[in-house]
């Protein structure tokens, strides 16, 4: 598969697919028990980072359900309540294990600003800024994530069309720009708590995420 991507100047140039580097069977714990997924690494990705794919199900669907999940060490691993990333990841794994599909795990911590800068942003958030205002205070854009590697990984898996599990319209927009057909989108659950309500509100109001927030007194 060869696609094209837009550059800042408005020109386009070829986007080559990545290549599967390793394909390893890995037992994965889910809410329904242990399942076996294929964990894959890649070469030829535009940013050179160690992104991985988990493929669930023995036979891949023609238009698979795909979750593109950006790394969140604080939420995914340590269970931080400041975001909804950990619950979204666990929900996606359970869903993909039950229905089949692909999880792309992208190494783009903190919407692309990195772990240390993300913790610096937390300090600013504690002073009253929202997550986007904190990034700007640190001289970063609202969201630096680049989904070209995701398109390359899907191309390496011979996927040309997807059902996308996301609340973020930018993911569908970028994947479409990079040659992937997004047949449909499906929202994740709304994992709201007193600790992350402000974060989720900012994602909805600033970045247009599709998140249904219950009344504050219910969280």
């Amino acid at each position: 598969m060869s696609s094209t991507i837009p550059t800042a100047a408005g020109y386009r140039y070829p986007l080559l697919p990545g290549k599967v580097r390793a394909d390893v069977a890995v037992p994965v714990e889910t809410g329904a028990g242990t399942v076996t997924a294929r964990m894959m690494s890649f070469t030829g990705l535009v940013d050179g980072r160690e992104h991985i794919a988990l493929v669930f199900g023995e036979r891949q669907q023609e238009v698979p359900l795909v979750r593109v999940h950006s790394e969140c060490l604080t939420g995914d691993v340590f269970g931080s309540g400041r975001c909804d990333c950990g619950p979204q990841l666990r929900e996606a794994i359970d869903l993909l294990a039950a229905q089949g599909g692909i999880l792309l795990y992208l190494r783009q911590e903190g919407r692309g600003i990195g772990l240390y800068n993300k913790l610096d942003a937390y300090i600013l958030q504690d002073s009253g800024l929202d997550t986007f205002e904190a990034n700007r205070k640190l001289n970063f854009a609202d969201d630096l994530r680049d989904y070209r590697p995701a398109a390359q990984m899907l191309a390496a898996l011979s996927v040309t069309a997807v059902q996308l599990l996301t609340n973020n319209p930018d993911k569908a927009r970028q994947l479409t720009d990079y040659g992937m057909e997004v047949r449909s989108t499906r929202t994740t659950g709304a994992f709201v708590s007193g600790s992350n309500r402000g974060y989720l509100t900012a994602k909805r109001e600033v970045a247009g995420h599709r998140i249904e927030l219950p009344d504050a007194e219910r969280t």
Side-chain angles (χ1 to χ4, degrees):
M1 172 182 172
S2 178
S3 183
T4 58
I5 64 174
T7 68
Y11 297 101
R12 302 172 79 86
Y13 61 91
L15 176 64
L16 298 176
K19 294 182 179 180
V20 175
R21 173 183 173 274
D23 182 345
V24 183
V26 177
V28 176
E29 293 297 325
T30 76
T34 303
V35 302
T36 298
R38 293 162 55 204
M39 185 174 289
M40 300 181 184
S41 61
F42 298 84
T43 59
L45 303 182
V46 291
D47 61 1
R49 294 181 180 176
E50 293 184 328
H51 309 298
I52 62 169
L54 269 73
V55 179
F56 295 86
E58 293 184 5
R59 173 180 288 182
Q60 194 56 57
Q61 301 163 337
E62 182 179 351
V63 184
L65 181 64
V66 173
R67 168 69 182 169
V68 179
H69 188 92
S70 295
E71 178 181 41
C72 176
L73 181 72
T74 53
D76 296 344
V77 177
F78 297 116
S80 167
R82 298 188 69 133
C83 63
D84 59 341
C85 303
Q88 280 188 322
L89 178 61
R90 291 189 290 275
E91 176 196 53
I93 288 175
D94 287 349
L95 186 60
L96 294 168
Q99 298 185 9
I102 302 169
L103 171 70
L104 302 182
Y105 195 83
L106 303 187
R107 313 300 296 276
Q108 301 186 131
E109 182 80 44
R111 291 198 301 277
I113 68 174
L115 179 60
Y116 280 16
N117 288 320
K118 174 181 172 180
L119 296 181
D120 292 341
Y122 278 175
I123 295 172
L124 293 172
Q125 290 169 38
D126 287 342
S127 71
L129 301 184
D130 69 34
T131 180
F132 300 103
E133 292 168 337
N135 277 21
R136 295 171 203 151
K137 188 73 171 179
L138 294 171
N139 295 314
F140 293 109
D142 286 1
D143 195 336
L144 294 174
R145 288 176 293 181
D146 181 352
Y147 298 109
R148 286 179 296 172
Q152 289 182 292
M153 294 160 77
L154 290 169
L157 300 175
S158 299
V159 173
T160 59
V162 300
Q163 306 170 63
L164 197 60
L165 179 64
T166 186
N167 301 330
N168 183 358
D170 188 50
K171 288 181 183 178
R173 187 162 47 239
Q174 284 201 39
L175 287 177
T176 299
D177 284 344
Y178 303 151
M180 191 61 48
E181 181 184 354
V182 179
R183 292 274 183 93
S184 63
T185 58
R186 176 174 177 176
T187 58
T188 75
F191 304 100
V192 190
S193 70
S195 300
N196 69 15
R197 172 173 282 275
Y199 167 80
L200 296 179
T201 299
K203 287 207 299 184
R204 185 180 68 178
E205 296 182 356
V206 178
H209 288 223
R210 294 179 297 163
I211 304 172
E212 293 292 334
L213 296 178
D215 295 337
E217 59 267 20
R218 291 170 53 194
T219 60

